[in-house]
Amino acid sequence: MLNRRTAIAAFALGCSAFALAAPASAQTKWNLPAAYPSDNPHSENLVLFAKDVETATSGKLQITVHPGAALFKAPEIKRAVASGQAQMGEVLMSLHENEDPVFGIDVVPFLATSFADSLKLYKASKAAVEKKLDSQGVKLLFMVPWAPQGVYTKKELSTIDDMKGLKWRAYNVGTARLGELLGMQSVTIQAAELPQALATGVVNSFMSSGGTGYDSKAWETLTHFYDVQAWIPKDATFVNKAAFDALDKPTQEAILKASAAAEARGWKMWEEKTNWYLDQLKAKGMKVQAPSAALAAGFKKAGETLTADWLKKAGADGQAIVDAYKKM
Ligand code: PCA
């Protein structure tokens, strides 16, 4: 019979034999929890990103994308990465506006509503976003937009007053505040739970892109989409700083190169797919339309209140970003 010490020695010998036998190019396996469905462009882009990294590192770094908030719920992803529970992650940046107003820069209403403007706003705000993430132990890799945000309802909206009393689904601070301002019953629900909230009648209205309306099969319960173009929110993909720093230089470079490619590809995917999504909503029988002048004026007015809220919270730093953006 083996005594304890012999067993430990045998184990140690086994380990060292294994260490000697291990190839120089040992594999590293990382997880990338992501918040949105697997067939959404964000998730498809992440899978391509992971492939690029794997190819560039000859299989040394394997990243598994877990879409649909399957590994962590959307609001938990950033903390999971910061604490090292996952090495990489992806989620909507503005979910974290409560931590720092800079995370809400891209949901300031009507500040940047085209992809070209949204890219400028990204450039003007990137350093501040990176700095804040860095202070949380997270390194920003890339950011990709959604499509301009519109409003889904089950009835026609002539003026903003028609929204009073709606059961409104919010996804971040800005959409919740909008619900409150417009006299709606607001409940915060992330995209992964939206189909069920619609099906069970917990909500009967929400703001989002054509993409999330499509992903949630909005046409099964709702009838109208108003293309308000209130803002273009972005998803951020990031990595745990210590995990990144521990990689060898070529692997770090492979990640950064794949990130730059994923960013360019993601912006292009969304620009190209925006109208496709609206066409799908139409094909499913939804009334997709621009808001009337009166309705648009109501959104503008609510937007001014939200903008004032944000500028007050964001102070001089926020104003400086807005000023820099406006000069671009
Ligand atoms: N879809 C996500 C965020 C913005 C968007 O277009 C959502 O509705 O949760």
Side-chain angles (χ1 to χ4, degrees), residues 36 92 146-147 149 169 171 190-191 207-209 212 233:
Y36 304 103
L92 191 77
W146 288 82
Q149 304 289 289
R169 172 264 175 168
Y171 62 75
Q190 291 308 324
M207 176 173 264
S208 196
S209 56
T212 292

Side-chain angles (χ1 to χ4, degrees), residues 18 20 52 92 112 114 121 127 151 164 196-197 257 266 270 297 318:
F18 176 78
L20 285 174
D52 282 351
L92 191 77
S114 68
L121 184 60
V151 169
K164 271 200 189 112
Q196 198 188 345
K257 197 162 164 236
W270 275 97

Side-chain angles (χ1 to χ4, degrees), residues 51-75:
K51 256 196 204 119
D52 282 351
V53 172
E54 191 173 334
T55 307
T57 61
S58 308
K60 249 171 80 179
L61 179 56
Q62 290 189 2
I63 301 165
T64 305
V65 179
H66 302 268
L71 204 56
F72 291 97
K73 291 199 182 295

Side-chain angles (χ1 to χ4, degrees), residues 25-100:
S25 59
Q27 259 182 13
T28 304
K29 292 189 185 216
W30 278 9
N31 288 311
L32 192 166
Y36 304 103
S38 57
D39 56 352
N40 182 285
H42 284 296
S43 307
E44 289 178 344
N45 192 29
L46 289 171
V47 170
L48 294 172
F49 161 75
K51 256 196 204 119
D52 282 351
V53 172
E54 191 173 334
T55 307
T57 61
S58 308
K60 249 171 80 179
L61 179 56
Q62 290 189 2
I63 301 165
T64 305
V65 179
H66 302 268
L71 204 56
F72 291 97
K73 291 199 182 295
E76 309 299 329
I77 291 175
K78 189 159 72 63
R79 191 168 38 210
V81 173
S83 65
Q85 286 173 279
Q87 295 82 9
M88 280 185 176
E90 180 241 21
V91 78
L92 191 77
M93 178 176 72
S94 62
L95 289 195
H96 299 289
E97 188 177 337
N98 275 336
E99 296 165 23
D100 194 306

Side-chain angles (χ1 to χ4, degrees), residues 254-268:
I255 291 176
L256 296 179
K257 197 162 164 236
S259 296
E263 186 163 276
R265 185 173 54 227
W267 282 77
K268 199 156 163 265

